[in-house]
Amino acid sequence: MFPELNNLLNTTPDRAEQGKLTLLCDAKTDGSFLVHHFLSFYLKADYKVCFVALIQSFSHYNIVGQKLGVSLTAARERGQLVFLEGLKSAVDIFFRPQEEPHPLQFLREANTRNLQPLYEFVREALKPTDEEEAACRCPVLLVDDLSVLLSLGLGAVAVLDFIHYCRATVCWERKGNIVALVHDSGDAEDEENDILLNGLSHQSHLILRAEGLATGFCKDVHGQLKILWRGPSQPTAPRDRSLTYQYKIQDKSVSFFAKGMSPAVL
Amino acid sequence: MTPSEGVGRGMESVLEMLESLLALGGMVLLRDTVEWEGRSLLKALIKKSALYGEQVHVLGCEVSEEEFREGFDSNINSRLVYHDLFRDPLNWSKTGEALPGGPLEALRALCRRTDPGPVTVALDSLSWLLLHLPCTTLCQALHALSRQDPCPGKQVRVLGLLHEELHGPGPVRALSSLAQAEVTLSGALGQASAHILYRRPRQHPTHQTQWFSILPDFSLDLQGGPLLEPQPQPDPHTPLVDPTNHLTFNLRLSKKEREAKDSLTLPFQFSSEKQQALLRPGPGQATSHIFYEPDAYDDLDQEDPDDDLDI
């Protein structure tokens, strides 16, 4: 987790908000550093994490996690982390008997165009054991990322329904959080992606948007982060609802600064 | 206008805005965006209807019942009936808790309700319904719902929340044509504004723009405009200085000076007197001479080179 980002969002692992949907989106840049931040943040905060990782392998997240101070292997072994490795599962599904339910069932069946099996997987993964109920461990669902589901042939409404059901179970019933990454296609006219992005934006309490600089690539400033708090019940004044910072990604941390205040140019 | 006068006028306008939106009957369409959300205004309108003594039916698809009822006091909550399409709209859990028939049946059931008295139906949200039902089916159901019953006691008012960015222009215009009033939410400088379009029958559509903010108890607070930085108040102890004292130039003209100014002819204004003055050299004017010393190489040809031109 990046301490500077925690300061900007005004959270720490011990007093994170509950029942919230955080939307991460990136446009013309790679927003995966935000996924790594939230993954290590919630593991450090002792949440029960279900990570639906469709983009990278387990070892990739593990290596980055170790740089940020968490061990995914250890977390998985002690039951704190449930990891769905999309890349491996997608191949496995063709070598299993068809009757067994699989989270990525939609890859095999042509007619069921919804994500109900994936939702059932998430619900099972975050079902509290007795000791977890006692420890009041809150669940977190992390998805990296949702745009790839559109590329795999699902409609935007199917993905929105999946997140809807996850919200009902994880955020409302279990008072946990959801963090999901969606790519913004930007100029490329992708209607389905726009519907997905806007639909999720309307349901989110916090939107973190990483954008590339309008002027192009820069060695010292890797991009710009826009933070938007939504919803009527926010503690900050209306004027603080939206903040913009620029950032530079380093080996083990990300530094944030106000626009134009990069240490390289001061 | 003193601040207290502004508040007084603001209070009248508050009532006007909400009352005029609710008085028309039929459907009120609330169009919001990601940046300027409309659920707070929807809840403010629901609160107003409930305070009139009406029953409010909410078809809730996007938020849980607890979240929707948050902020309402018990008086309003007792008049609110929440039809829950949030927990299990598509019957995935198969526990039998879901509303039977899904969203369309739930919508049609609202048309068939038989309780007496005027009723307000809030659809949170129309966008969710539009993504899950065909547009024509939804429009037919809405038309059936908001059709004015000739019996005045059974009036139905429909409030629909629509997220503009999710739909193409076709469905949005179809829903807009069913609405008697349309409120488009936007804002500037942290202040929300509502652009209201009224479609009264047999009259021209009228527009109104209103800046507002919603208080935590979902009452409406009208503003004059986006809140600018507060102007620094003049220190009451320093005497106000008249800047027009002790000037080195004249700011005003006396009557004589004004007459002299008006009668002055401007140098480049060509009048008949000026023409005469130019044509006839006056006694004071010296005629002008040109003194020319020819060089050794000058060719003094007295012949006019333009002679052969036929001008």
Side-chain angles (χ1 to χ4, degrees), chain B residues 302-311:
Chain B
Q302 299 297 335
E303 220 175 77
D304 185 356
D306 296 322
D307 234 355
D308 54 348
L309 291 176
D310 203 5
I311 301 172

Side-chain angles (χ1 to χ4, degrees), chain B residues 104-124:
Chain B
L104 184 58
E105 216 21 68
L107 191 56
R108 288 192 177 139
L110 286 174
C111 299
R112 289 193 297 264
R113 48 136 215 120
T114 50
D115 29 329
V119 130
T120 296
V121 173
L123 301 172
D124 178 14

Side-chain angles (χ1 to χ4, degrees), chain A residues 30 72 83 106 123 173 187 198 206:
Chain A
D30 184 15
L72 267 63
F83 195 96
F106 67 92
R123 202 178 57 170
E173 204 179 303
D187 295 332
N198 288 322
L206 175 63

Side-chain angles (χ1 to χ4, degrees), chain B residues 284-299:
Chain B
Q285 273 181 336
T287 53
S288 47
H289 287 278
I290 297 175
F291 299 98
Y292 175 59
E293 294 287 339
D295 273 339
Y297 305 106
D298 268 338
D299 180 16

Side-chain angles (χ1 to χ4, degrees), chain B residues 51-231:
Chain B
L51 289 177
Y52 282 151
E54 294 178 11
Q55 231 201 3
V56 181
H57 290 261
V58 180
L59 192 63
C61 316
E62 292 194 344
V63 295
S64 64
E65 188 170 350
E66 282 93 354
E67 196 179 326
F68 198 86
R69 286 184 186 271
E70 209 179 299
F72 286 146
D73 58 29
S74 54
N75 180 24
I76 298 172
N77 269 323
S78 60
R79 296 192 182 281
L80 206 110
V81 179
Y82 196 83
H83 303 266
D84 196 339
L85 272 182
F86 171 72
R87 229 166 353 146
D88 192 2
L90 308 172
N91 203 17
W92 281 4
S93 63
K94 298 209 176 2
T95 53
E97 282 179 4
L99 291 181
L104 184 58
E105 216 21 68
L107 191 56
R108 288 192 177 139
L110 286 174
C111 299
R112 289 193 297 264
R113 48 136 215 120
T114 50
D115 29 329
V119 130
T120 296
V121 173
L123 301 172
D124 178 14
S125 64
L126 275 174
S127 284
W128 193 95
L129 292 169
L130 202 53
L131 288 176
H132 290 85
L133 300 171
C135 182
T136 46
T137 316
L138 179 63
C139 288
Q140 284 166 355
L142 283 176
H143 183 70
L145 186 60
S146 61
R147 185 182 46 211
Q148 297 281 14
D149 208 295
C151 170
K154 290 205 76 170
Q155 255 191 11
V156 178
R157 185 179 305 113
V158 180
L159 307 172
L161 180 62
L162 187 71
H163 306 309
E164 280 200 307
E165 308 106 324
L166 295 181
H167 314 284
V172 173
R173 281 207 213 109
L175 287 173
S176 160
S177 66
L178 290 172
Q180 269 67 50
E182 223 175 285
V183 182
T184 306
L185 289 156
S186 63
L189 297 173
Q191 187 68 48
S193 75
H195 179 85
I196 310 173
L197 171 68
Y198 296 99
R199 282 198 198 89
R200 294 186 180 86
R202 291 184 296 280
Q203 285 181 32
H204 280 298
T206 49
H207 297 258
Q208 185 192 354
T209 302
Q210 186 65 59
W211 298 86
F212 68 96
S213 63
I214 310 266
L215 302 172
D217 66 346
F218 295 105
S219 45
L220 209 59
D221 180 29
L222 294 194
Q223 316 282 341
L227 294 167
L228 303 166
E229 289 304 307
Q231 303 298 329

Side-chain angles (χ1 to χ4, degrees), chain A residues 114-116 119-120 157 160-161 164-165 167-168 172 195 198-199 201-202 205 207 228 230 232 238-239 241, chain B residues 32-37 40 61-62 64 66 86-92 128 132 163 165-166 190 229:
Chain A
N114 67 22
L115 282 166
Q116 187 175 354
Y119 160 70
E120 303 285 349
V157 180
L160 284 173
D161 286 339
H164 178 113
Y165 268 88
R167 268 202 313 138
W172 174 69
I195 292 176
N198 288 322
S201 302
H202 275 283
H205 300 97
I207 301 177
L228 177 65
R230 292 191 75 248
R239 230 166 284 182
R241 283 171 62 226
Chain B
D32 73 349
T33 59
V34 172
E35 218 192 318
W36 302 101
E37 56 92 25
S40 316
C61 316
E62 292 194 344
S64 64
E66 282 93 354
F86 171 72
R87 229 166 353 146
D88 192 2
L90 308 172
N91 203 17
W92 281 4
W128 193 95
H132 290 85
H163 306 309
E165 308 106 324
L166 295 181
E229 289 304 307

Side-chain angles (χ1 to χ4, degrees), chain B residues 232-242:
Chain B
Q233 298 295 326
D235 190 348
H237 295 299
T238 54
L240 289 173
V241 175
D242 185 10

